[in-house]
Amino acid sequence: MGQPTPDHAETGRRSSFLRAAAGTFGTNLAVAMLSLVNVLIVARAIGAAGRGQVAFLITVASLAAFFGATGVHESNGNLGGSEPSLRPRLATNSIFFSLVFGTIVALAIAALVSAFPAVGGDGRRILLWITLGCIPAIILKTYLNFLVQSDYHFAITNAAWLAGPLTTAITNGTLAAAGHLHVSSAIGAWIGGQVLGTSLLVGFVARRIGFGRPDARLAKRSLRFGAKAHVGHTMEIGNYRLDQWFVGAFSGSRELGLYSVAVAWAEVLFYLPGILVMIQRPDLVRRRDRGR
């Protein structure tokens, strides 16, 4: 018998669509439930106002990270899927992009808050500065998540996705039971969970893909591609998250705390459509490449 063709070998390595979809959807449900549990723990332990401060800081960091990502994660997903040889260089460029864009957007928000203090909410400023400092790690997590998924490695991205809320829920639950949960410890647990998820992906990429040499030409290509999708995705994510920033800035932490509990329940409805797109993407970009 002859050697299997690359397409057959690649097909043999990838998980079935239903298995990948079920695993990813199950992870999303687990994340949603853990996030809801965490919301309820924090709200019960430190009150609606405290929960509102935590939600505000997380919202600011999450939105800033998405705006700062500039669509490079979309490039990683498509270029990494259609041109596998680019993955090591995409991984290295991702580190560079996350540091540069993360720092820029963090400094921009710090300047905005300094000029218009109300934009920064009514919590302690030191917690806002600390939270802004983790933006590069959040951006890198997004970049590597898409890059790893371009080669069908959904198990590790699910683990990295689950690491944050699981760590946060366990830490906050333990601190709440001991009577030591505060806004600062809750936001510290969230930052720790984000860094853990990023670390899992960095370790996986180092072992399975590798980090190549920085590639300026590829970086320009990634930015051009990402910019095409960034505007639409920014409007979409802004619609999901910007409302919490507005509520926290204009109505206060208590009102945001109550609002965030309702949002946590409603978000489950958005998961299935996004998951189906995510699972099909590696196949779609390969088919497009072969059709050229």
Side-chain angles (χ1 to χ4, degrees):
M1 297 180 64
Q3 293 295 324
T5 65
D7 281 350
H8 289 163
E10 190 173 23
T11 300
R13 289 196 302 267
R14 67 184 70 159
S15 300
S16 69
F17 173 81
L18 290 177
R19 183 180 303 172
T24 304
F25 186 64
T27 300
N28 273 262
L29 288 180
V31 167
M33 292 300 101
L34 286 169
S35 299
L36 180 59
V37 167
N38 185 60
V39 166
L40 297 177
I41 289 173
V42 173
R44 184 174 180 82
I46 60 179
R51 165 59 198 166
Q53 291 181 34
V54 173
F56 180 81
L57 292 171
I58 293 174
T59 298
V60 170
S62 300
L63 275 175
F66 183 82
F67 293 149
T70 62
V72 171
H73 52 293
E74 300 288 348
S75 301
N76 283 353
N78 276 39
L79 297 178
S82 60
E83 302 179 53
S85 62
L86 299 180
R87 291 174 191 153
R89 284 174 286 165
L90 288 170
T92 302
N93 284 356
S94 294
I95 294 178
F96 173 78
F97 280 138
S98 64
L99 290 174
V100 172
F101 294 148
T103 300
I104 290 174
V105 74
L107 291 176
I109 292 177
L112 181 64
V113 171
S114 297
F116 306 98
V119 175
D122 54 8
R124 295 167 56 194
R125 284 292 180 262
I126 184 63
L127 294 181
L128 177 60
W129 308 145
I130 292 173
T131 306
L132 292 179
C134 79
I135 290 176
I138 300 174
I139 293 178
L140 181 58
K141 179 182 176 182
T142 303
Y143 287 169
L144 297 184
N145 188 75
F146 275 68
L147 180 62
V148 169
Q149 286 179 350
S150 72
D151 197 27
Y152 303 96
H153 296 299
F154 294 103
I156 184 61
T157 58
N158 288 341
W161 203 343
L162 189 61
L166 180 60
T167 301
T168 304
I170 292 174
T171 302
N172 286 342
T174 302
L175 292 175
H180 297 300
L181 183 61
H182 308 286
V183 173
S184 56
S185 57
I187 198 63
W190 180 79
I191 292 174
Q194 298 303 307
V195 172
L196 175 59
T198 303
S199 299
L200 290 174
L201 289 172
V202 169
F204 182 86
V205 170
R207 293 191 308 271
R208 299 294 296 272
I209 296 176
F211 289 95
R213 299 181 63 179
D215 189 329
R217 181 175 297 178
L218 180 59
K220 293 178 182 178
R221 185 180 175 190
S222 295
L223 288 173
R224 285 196 300 269
F225 184 94
K228 297 175 183 179
H230 192 54
V231 174
H233 284 304
T234 296
M235 295 176 66
E236 179 184 7
I237 297 299
N239 184 49
Y240 291 158
R241 285 288 181 264
L242 200 57
D243 55 340
Q244 296 193 45
W245 193 335
F246 288 158
V247 172
F250 295 110
S251 299
S253 296
R254 183 178 183 279
E255 287 72 15
L256 176 57
L258 297 172
Y259 181 76
S260 67
V261 174
V263 171
W265 282 101
E267 283 187 335
V268 178
L269 299 175
F270 299 113
Y271 287 148
L272 184 57
I275 288 166
L276 295 178
V277 172
M278 182 190 307
I279 300 299
Q280 294 180 84
R281 183 171 190 160
D283 287 320
L284 293 175
V285 297
R286 283 163 171 76
R287 290 191 180 113
R288 183 194 65 180
D289 187 61
R290 286 196 292 265
R292 288 177 179 177

Short mmCIF file of all heavy atoms in Angstrom, two decimals, residues 71-84 86-87 90-91 94 142-152 154 222 225-226 229 277-289:
data_model
loop_
_atom_site.label_atom_id
_atom_site.label_comp_id
_atom_site.label_asym_id
_atom_site.label_seq_id
_atom_site.Cartn_x
_atom_site.Cartn_y
_atom_site.Cartn_z
N GLY A 71 -7.36 42.67 15.66
CA GLY A 71 -7.70 41.64 14.70
C GLY A 71 -6.59 40.66 14.35
O GLY A 71 -6.77 39.80 13.49
N VAL A 72 -5.43 40.74 15.03
CA VAL A 72 -4.33 39.84 14.72
C VAL A 72 -4.70 38.38 15.01
O VAL A 72 -4.23 37.46 14.34
CB VAL A 72 -3.07 40.25 15.52
CG1 VAL A 72 -1.97 39.19 15.40
CG2 VAL A 72 -2.55 41.60 15.03
N HIS A 73 -5.57 38.16 16.00
CA HIS A 73 -6.00 36.80 16.28
C HIS A 73 -6.75 36.20 15.09
O HIS A 73 -6.63 34.99 14.83
CB HIS A 73 -6.89 36.76 17.53
CG HIS A 73 -8.03 37.73 17.51
ND1 HIS A 73 -7.84 39.09 17.55
CD2 HIS A 73 -9.37 37.53 17.45
CE1 HIS A 73 -9.02 39.69 17.52
NE2 HIS A 73 -9.96 38.76 17.44
N GLU A 74 -7.50 37.02 14.37
CA GLU A 74 -8.17 36.53 13.17
C GLU A 74 -7.14 36.10 12.12
O GLU A 74 -7.32 35.09 11.42
CB GLU A 74 -9.08 37.61 12.60
CG GLU A 74 -10.18 38.08 13.54
CD GLU A 74 -11.27 37.05 13.73
OE1 GLU A 74 -11.29 36.06 12.97
OE2 GLU A 74 -12.11 37.24 14.63
N SER A 75 -6.08 36.88 12.00
CA SER A 75 -5.00 36.52 11.08
C SER A 75 -4.36 35.19 11.48
O SER A 75 -4.08 34.34 10.63
CB SER A 75 -3.93 37.62 11.06
OG SER A 75 -4.47 38.85 10.68
N ASN A 76 -4.14 35.02 12.79
CA ASN A 76 -3.54 33.77 13.26
C ASN A 76 -4.41 32.57 12.90
O ASN A 76 -3.90 31.51 12.51
CB ASN A 76 -3.33 33.81 14.78
CG ASN A 76 -2.14 34.65 15.17
OD1 ASN A 76 -1.36 35.10 14.33
ND2 ASN A 76 -1.97 34.87 16.47
N GLY A 77 -5.72 32.73 13.05
CA GLY A 77 -6.62 31.64 12.74
C GLY A 77 -6.63 31.28 11.26
O GLY A 77 -6.58 30.10 10.90
N ASN A 78 -6.65 32.29 10.41
CA ASN A 78 -6.72 32.02 8.96
C ASN A 78 -5.37 31.67 8.36
O ASN A 78 -5.24 30.68 7.62
CB ASN A 78 -7.32 33.22 8.24
CG ASN A 78 -8.83 33.22 8.25
OD1 ASN A 78 -9.44 32.85 9.26
ND2 ASN A 78 -9.45 33.63 7.17
N LEU A 79 -4.34 32.45 8.68
CA LEU A 79 -3.03 32.18 8.11
C LEU A 79 -2.43 30.90 8.69
O LEU A 79 -1.80 30.11 7.97
CB LEU A 79 -2.09 33.36 8.37
CG LEU A 79 -2.48 34.69 7.72
CD1 LEU A 79 -1.49 35.78 8.10
CD2 LEU A 79 -2.56 34.54 6.21
N GLY A 80 -2.65 30.68 9.98
CA GLY A 80 -2.15 29.45 10.59
C GLY A 80 -2.83 28.22 10.05
O GLY A 80 -2.24 27.14 9.98
N GLY A 81 -4.10 28.34 9.66
CA GLY A 81 -4.84 27.21 9.12
C GLY A 81 -4.50 26.93 7.67
O GLY A 81 -4.36 25.78 7.27
N SER A 82 -4.36 27.98 6.89
CA SER A 82 -4.13 27.80 5.45
C SER A 82 -2.66 27.62 5.10
O SER A 82 -2.33 27.02 4.07
CB SER A 82 -4.71 28.99 4.67
OG SER A 82 -4.09 30.20 5.07
N GLU A 83 -1.75 28.13 5.94
CA GLU A 83 -0.31 28.03 5.67
C GLU A 83 0.41 27.58 6.94
O GLU A 83 0.96 28.40 7.68
CB GLU A 83 0.24 29.37 5.18
CG GLU A 83 -0.45 29.89 3.92
CD GLU A 83 0.10 31.23 3.47
OE1 GLU A 83 1.34 31.35 3.32
OE2 GLU A 83 -0.70 32.17 3.30
N PRO A 84 0.40 26.29 7.24
CA PRO A 84 0.96 25.78 8.50
C PRO A 84 2.42 26.18 8.75
O PRO A 84 2.83 26.31 9.90
CB PRO A 84 0.83 24.26 8.35
CG PRO A 84 -0.31 24.08 7.38
CD PRO A 84 -0.20 25.22 6.44
N LEU A 86 3.77 28.89 8.55
CA LEU A 86 3.88 30.22 9.15
C LEU A 86 3.67 30.21 10.66
O LEU A 86 3.96 31.21 11.33
CB LEU A 86 2.84 31.16 8.53
CG LEU A 86 2.92 31.44 7.03
CD1 LEU A 86 1.80 32.39 6.61
CD2 LEU A 86 4.29 32.03 6.67
N ARG A 87 3.19 29.11 11.23
CA ARG A 87 2.79 29.11 12.63
C ARG A 87 3.89 29.51 13.61
O ARG A 87 3.63 30.31 14.52
CB ARG A 87 2.21 27.74 13.01
CG ARG A 87 0.87 27.46 12.36
CD ARG A 87 0.41 26.04 12.64
NE ARG A 87 -0.74 25.69 11.80
CZ ARG A 87 -1.04 24.46 11.43
NH1 ARG A 87 -0.29 23.44 11.84
NH2 ARG A 87 -2.08 24.22 10.67
N LEU A 90 4.26 33.22 13.33
CA LEU A 90 3.06 33.86 13.85
C LEU A 90 3.07 33.87 15.38
O LEU A 90 2.64 34.84 16.00
CB LEU A 90 1.81 33.14 13.34
CG LEU A 90 1.46 33.31 11.87
CD1 LEU A 90 0.35 32.34 11.46
CD2 LEU A 90 1.02 34.75 11.58
N ALA A 91 3.55 32.79 15.97
CA ALA A 91 3.61 32.71 17.44
C ALA A 91 4.54 33.77 18.01
O ALA A 91 4.20 34.46 18.99
CB ALA A 91 4.07 31.31 17.86
N SER A 94 3.16 37.17 17.64
CA SER A 94 2.06 37.38 18.58
C SER A 94 2.56 37.94 19.91
O SER A 94 1.90 38.80 20.53
CB SER A 94 1.32 36.06 18.83
OG SER A 94 0.66 35.62 17.67
N THR A 142 -5.48 35.47 23.62
CA THR A 142 -6.39 35.45 22.46
C THR A 142 -5.64 35.09 21.19
O THR A 142 -6.10 34.27 20.38
CB THR A 142 -7.05 36.83 22.29
OG1 THR A 142 -7.75 37.17 23.50
CG2 THR A 142 -8.04 36.81 21.14
N TYR A 143 -4.47 35.69 20.98
CA TYR A 143 -3.68 35.40 19.79
C TYR A 143 -3.34 33.91 19.69
O TYR A 143 -3.53 33.28 18.64
CB TYR A 143 -2.37 36.19 19.83
CG TYR A 143 -2.49 37.66 19.58
CD1 TYR A 143 -1.41 38.51 19.82
CD2 TYR A 143 -3.65 38.24 19.08
CE1 TYR A 143 -1.47 39.87 19.57
CE2 TYR A 143 -3.74 39.59 18.84
CZ TYR A 143 -2.64 40.42 19.09
OH TYR A 143 -2.73 41.77 18.85
N LEU A 144 -2.79 33.36 20.78
CA LEU A 144 -2.36 31.97 20.76
C LEU A 144 -3.54 31.01 20.71
O LEU A 144 -3.43 29.91 20.16
CB LEU A 144 -1.48 31.67 21.97
CG LEU A 144 -0.17 32.45 22.05
CD1 LEU A 144 0.66 31.99 23.25
CD2 LEU A 144 0.64 32.31 20.76
N ASN A 145 -4.66 31.41 21.28
CA ASN A 145 -5.86 30.58 21.23
C ASN A 145 -6.26 30.31 19.77
O ASN A 145 -6.51 29.17 19.37
CB ASN A 145 -6.99 31.27 21.99
CG ASN A 145 -8.21 30.39 22.15
OD1 ASN A 145 -8.22 29.47 22.94
ND2 ASN A 145 -9.26 30.68 21.38
N PHE A 146 -6.30 31.36 18.97
CA PHE A 146 -6.68 31.20 17.56
C PHE A 146 -5.60 30.44 16.79
O PHE A 146 -5.92 29.64 15.90
CB PHE A 146 -6.91 32.58 16.93
CG PHE A 146 -8.30 33.12 17.14
CD1 PHE A 146 -8.72 33.51 18.41
CD2 PHE A 146 -9.18 33.25 16.09
CE1 PHE A 146 -9.99 34.00 18.62
CE2 PHE A 146 -10.46 33.76 16.28
CZ PHE A 146 -10.87 34.13 17.56
N LEU A 147 -4.34 30.70 17.11
CA LEU A 147 -3.26 30.02 16.40
C LEU A 147 -3.28 28.52 16.67
O LEU A 147 -3.15 27.71 15.74
CB LEU A 147 -1.91 30.60 16.84
CG LEU A 147 -0.67 29.99 16.19
CD1 LEU A 147 -0.70 30.21 14.68
CD2 LEU A 147 0.60 30.59 16.79
N VAL A 148 -3.47 28.13 17.92
CA VAL A 148 -3.51 26.71 18.28
C VAL A 148 -4.73 26.03 17.68
O VAL A 148 -4.66 24.89 17.20
CB VAL A 148 -3.48 26.55 19.81
CG1 VAL A 148 -3.79 25.12 20.23
CG2 VAL A 148 -2.12 26.96 20.36
N GLN A 149 -5.86 26.71 17.67
CA GLN A 149 -7.07 26.13 17.08
C GLN A 149 -6.94 25.94 15.57
O GLN A 149 -7.62 25.08 14.99
CB GLN A 149 -8.28 27.01 17.38
CG GLN A 149 -8.76 26.92 18.82
CD GLN A 149 -9.95 27.81 19.09
OE1 GLN A 149 -10.31 28.64 18.26
NE2 GLN A 149 -10.55 27.65 20.25
N SER A 150 -6.06 26.70 14.93
CA SER A 150 -5.89 26.55 13.48
C SER A 150 -5.33 25.18 13.12
O SER A 150 -5.41 24.75 11.98
CB SER A 150 -4.96 27.64 12.94
OG SER A 150 -3.61 27.42 13.32
N ASP A 151 -4.76 24.46 14.12
CA ASP A 151 -4.26 23.11 13.91
C ASP A 151 -5.10 22.09 14.68
O ASP A 151 -4.60 21.02 15.03
CB ASP A 151 -2.80 23.01 14.34
CG ASP A 151 -2.11 21.78 13.77
OD1 ASP A 151 -2.54 21.29 12.70
OD2 ASP A 151 -1.15 21.30 14.41
N TYR A 152 -6.35 22.45 14.98
CA TYR A 152 -7.33 21.54 15.58
C TYR A 152 -7.02 21.16 17.04
O TYR A 152 -7.59 20.19 17.54
CB TYR A 152 -7.47 20.25 14.76
CG TYR A 152 -7.87 20.47 13.33
CD1 TYR A 152 -6.91 20.50 12.33
CD2 TYR A 152 -9.21 20.64 12.98
CE1 TYR A 152 -7.26 20.72 11.01
CE2 TYR A 152 -9.57 20.84 11.66
CZ TYR A 152 -8.60 20.88 10.67
OH TYR A 152 -8.96 21.09 9.37
N PHE A 154 -8.13 21.77 19.99
CA PHE A 154 -9.19 22.39 20.79
C PHE A 154 -9.10 22.01 22.26
O PHE A 154 -9.57 22.74 23.13
CB PHE A 154 -10.56 22.02 20.23
CG PHE A 154 -10.82 22.59 18.87
CD1 PHE A 154 -10.73 21.81 17.74
CD2 PHE A 154 -11.16 23.92 18.72
CE1 PHE A 154 -10.95 22.34 16.48
CE2 PHE A 154 -11.39 24.47 17.47
CZ PHE A 154 -11.29 23.67 16.34
N SER A 222 -0.33 40.22 8.64
CA SER A 222 -1.29 39.93 9.71
C SER A 222 -2.13 41.15 10.05
O SER A 222 -3.34 41.06 10.25
CB SER A 222 -0.55 39.44 10.97
OG SER A 222 0.10 38.21 10.74
N PHE A 225 -4.69 41.90 7.25
CA PHE A 225 -5.81 40.97 7.29
C PHE A 225 -6.70 41.24 8.52
O PHE A 225 -7.92 41.28 8.41
CB PHE A 225 -5.29 39.52 7.35
CG PHE A 225 -6.38 38.49 7.29
CD1 PHE A 225 -6.76 37.93 6.09
CD2 PHE A 225 -7.04 38.09 8.44
CE1 PHE A 225 -7.77 36.98 6.03
CE2 PHE A 225 -8.06 37.14 8.40
CZ PHE A 225 -8.42 36.59 7.20
N GLY A 226 -6.07 41.41 9.68
CA GLY A 226 -6.83 41.60 10.91
C GLY A 226 -7.66 42.86 10.90
O GLY A 226 -8.76 42.89 11.45
N ALA A 229 -11.30 42.65 9.67
CA ALA A 229 -12.33 42.06 10.53
C ALA A 229 -12.51 42.81 11.84
O ALA A 229 -13.52 42.64 12.52
CB ALA A 229 -11.97 40.60 10.83
N VAL A 277 -18.97 28.06 14.64
CA VAL A 277 -18.07 28.78 13.74
C VAL A 277 -16.62 28.46 14.07
O VAL A 277 -15.79 28.21 13.18
CB VAL A 277 -18.32 30.30 13.85
CG1 VAL A 277 -17.25 31.07 13.07
CG2 VAL A 277 -19.70 30.65 13.32
N MET A 278 -16.29 28.44 15.36
CA MET A 278 -14.92 28.19 15.80
C MET A 278 -14.44 26.81 15.36
O MET A 278 -13.31 26.65 14.87
CB MET A 278 -14.87 28.29 17.33
CG MET A 278 -13.50 28.09 17.93
SD MET A 278 -13.62 27.95 19.75
CE MET A 278 -14.53 29.44 20.15
N ILE A 279 -15.28 25.80 15.52
CA ILE A 279 -14.88 24.44 15.18
C ILE A 279 -14.70 24.26 13.68
O ILE A 279 -13.81 23.54 13.22
CB ILE A 279 -15.94 23.44 15.70
CG1 ILE A 279 -16.08 23.54 17.22
CG2 ILE A 279 -15.58 22.02 15.30
CD1 ILE A 279 -14.82 23.22 17.97
N GLN A 280 -15.52 24.92 12.89
CA GLN A 280 -15.45 24.74 11.43
C GLN A 280 -14.35 25.57 10.77
O GLN A 280 -13.96 25.28 9.63
CB GLN A 280 -16.79 25.13 10.80
CG GLN A 280 -17.94 24.22 11.18
CD GLN A 280 -19.23 24.65 10.53
OE1 GLN A 280 -19.51 24.31 9.39
NE2 GLN A 280 -20.03 25.41 11.25
N ARG A 281 -13.84 26.56 11.47
CA ARG A 281 -12.91 27.49 10.84
C ARG A 281 -11.67 26.83 10.23
O ARG A 281 -11.30 27.15 9.08
CB ARG A 281 -12.50 28.56 11.84
CG ARG A 281 -11.59 29.63 11.23
CD ARG A 281 -11.38 30.77 12.19
NE ARG A 281 -10.73 31.88 11.55
CZ ARG A 281 -10.75 33.13 12.00
NH1 ARG A 281 -11.41 33.39 13.12
NH2 ARG A 281 -10.14 34.09 11.37
N PRO A 282 -10.95 25.94 10.93
CA PRO A 282 -9.76 25.34 10.31
C PRO A 282 -10.06 24.64 8.99
O PRO A 282 -9.26 24.71 8.05
CB PRO A 282 -9.28 24.34 11.38
CG PRO A 282 -9.81 24.88 12.66
CD PRO A 282 -11.14 25.48 12.32
N ASP A 283 -11.21 23.96 8.90
CA ASP A 283 -11.58 23.31 7.65
C ASP A 283 -11.90 24.33 6.56
O ASP A 283 -11.52 24.15 5.40
CB ASP A 283 -12.78 22.40 7.86
CG ASP A 283 -12.42 21.14 8.63
OD1 ASP A 283 -11.35 20.58 8.36
OD2 ASP A 283 -13.21 20.72 9.48
N LEU A 284 -12.60 25.38 6.93
CA LEU A 284 -13.02 26.37 5.95
C LEU A 284 -11.83 27.08 5.31
O LEU A 284 -11.79 27.29 4.10
CB LEU A 284 -13.96 27.39 6.60
CG LEU A 284 -15.31 26.85 7.06
CD1 LEU A 284 -16.10 27.94 7.80
CD2 LEU A 284 -16.12 26.35 5.88
N VAL A 285 -10.83 27.46 6.12
CA VAL A 285 -9.69 28.18 5.54
C VAL A 285 -8.84 27.25 4.68
O VAL A 285 -8.23 27.68 3.70
CB VAL A 285 -8.82 28.84 6.64
CG1 VAL A 285 -9.63 29.88 7.40
CG2 VAL A 285 -8.24 27.82 7.60
N ARG A 286 -8.80 25.96 5.01
CA ARG A 286 -8.05 25.01 4.18
C ARG A 286 -8.74 24.81 2.84
O ARG A 286 -8.09 24.73 1.79
CB ARG A 286 -7.89 23.68 4.91
CG ARG A 286 -6.81 23.71 5.98
CD ARG A 286 -6.95 22.54 6.94
NE ARG A 286 -5.82 22.42 7.84
CZ ARG A 286 -5.61 23.19 8.89
NH1 ARG A 286 -6.47 24.17 9.16
NH2 ARG A 286 -4.56 23.01 9.68
N ARG A 287 -10.06 24.73 2.85
CA ARG A 287 -10.80 24.55 1.60
C ARG A 287 -10.65 25.76 0.71
O ARG A 287 -10.50 25.66 -0.50
CB ARG A 287 -12.27 24.30 1.90
CG ARG A 287 -12.52 22.94 2.53
CD ARG A 287 -14.01 22.61 2.56
NE ARG A 287 -14.23 21.31 3.16
CZ ARG A 287 -14.84 21.12 4.32
NH1 ARG A 287 -15.30 22.14 5.00
NH2 ARG A 287 -15.00 19.91 4.82
N ARG A 288 -10.65 26.95 1.32
CA ARG A 288 -10.48 28.15 0.52
C ARG A 288 -9.10 28.17 -0.11
O ARG A 288 -8.93 28.55 -1.27
CB ARG A 288 -10.64 29.39 1.42
CG ARG A 288 -10.54 30.71 0.66
CD ARG A 288 -10.36 31.88 1.60
NE ARG A 288 -9.08 31.76 2.29
CZ ARG A 288 -8.65 32.65 3.18
NH1 ARG A 288 -9.41 33.68 3.52
NH2 ARG A 288 -7.48 32.50 3.75
N ASP A 289 -8.08 27.74 0.66
CA ASP A 289 -6.72 27.74 0.13
C ASP A 289 -6.57 26.75 -1.02
O ASP A 289 -5.90 27.02 -2.01
CB ASP A 289 -5.75 27.40 1.27
CG ASP A 289 -4.29 27.52 0.85
OD1 ASP A 289 -3.90 28.64 0.48
OD2 ASP A 289 -3.57 26.51 0.88
#
